[in-house]
Each structure stands twice: as C-alpha cells, then as structure tokens.
Amino acid sequence: LKRLKGGSFDVVLADPPYRSGLVQATLDRLVELELMSPGGFYVAEHHEFERPECPPGWEVLKRGRYGDSFVTVFRRGDE
C-alpha cells in the first residue's frame, strides 16, 4: 500500500486469508497513508472471530454474517 501513497480511492474490497489480522492491518494502513477519498468505502470479508475496529472519523455502515464469515462495510467520513 505504501507505493500507492498520494492516491485516492472511493472503494477498496478486501478478502485476505482468514485469521491473518490483515483486515485490520489493511484498514489501519489505508488511514495512515490517507488513501481513501472522503466518503470512501472499505468492504472486508473476514472470519467471525476477527472484529476489525472502526478508526476515528470512520463508521461501520453494515456488518452481515454469512456462515462463519462476516462482511463489514466501513465508510470514511466526509471532510
């Protein structure tokens, strides 16, 4: 993600290996490197035991369960 610094994305879809910690790590890097557009979406599929935390200035729009999997939709606030 570091190579993408300076970019601005409206939507990022993530489906990393389960229980790898990469859902949260990816979200943290998107925030740190300021890669998301205001109002942008980060959609992540993850295992039920992974509960990514919402960073400041973001909100969880939806979290749906599908068997052992969850899909969480985060939205960056408008700035």
Side-chain angles (χ1 to χ4, degrees):
L1 290 175
K2 195 172 185 179
R3 294 183 298 167
L4 301 173
K5 188 170 175 136
S8 184
F9 299 93
D10 295 325
V11 178
V12 171
L13 305 175
D15 184 13
Y18 282 3
R19 298 184 183 202
S20 64
L22 291 174
V23 170
Q24 185 70 55
T26 301
L27 179 56
D28 293 344
R29 292 294 281 176
L30 290 170
V31 171
E32 176 187 337
L33 298 173
E34 300 178 357
L35 292 174
M36 297 300 298
S37 301
F41 298 93
Y42 173 59
V43 182
E45 183 177 349
H46 54 92
H47 191 272
E48 65 179 323
F49 295 122
E50 289 181 283
R51 291 294 182 142
E53 294 185 20
C54 194
W58 288 66
E59 63 180 322
V60 174
L61 287 182
K62 185 172 184 173
R63 180 173 280 143
R65 182 182 182 129
Y66 306 93
D68 290 342
S69 300
F70 277 82
V71 174
T72 302
V73 179
F74 296 90
R75 181 180 174 274
R76 180 182 170 193
D78 297 323
E79 293 179 11

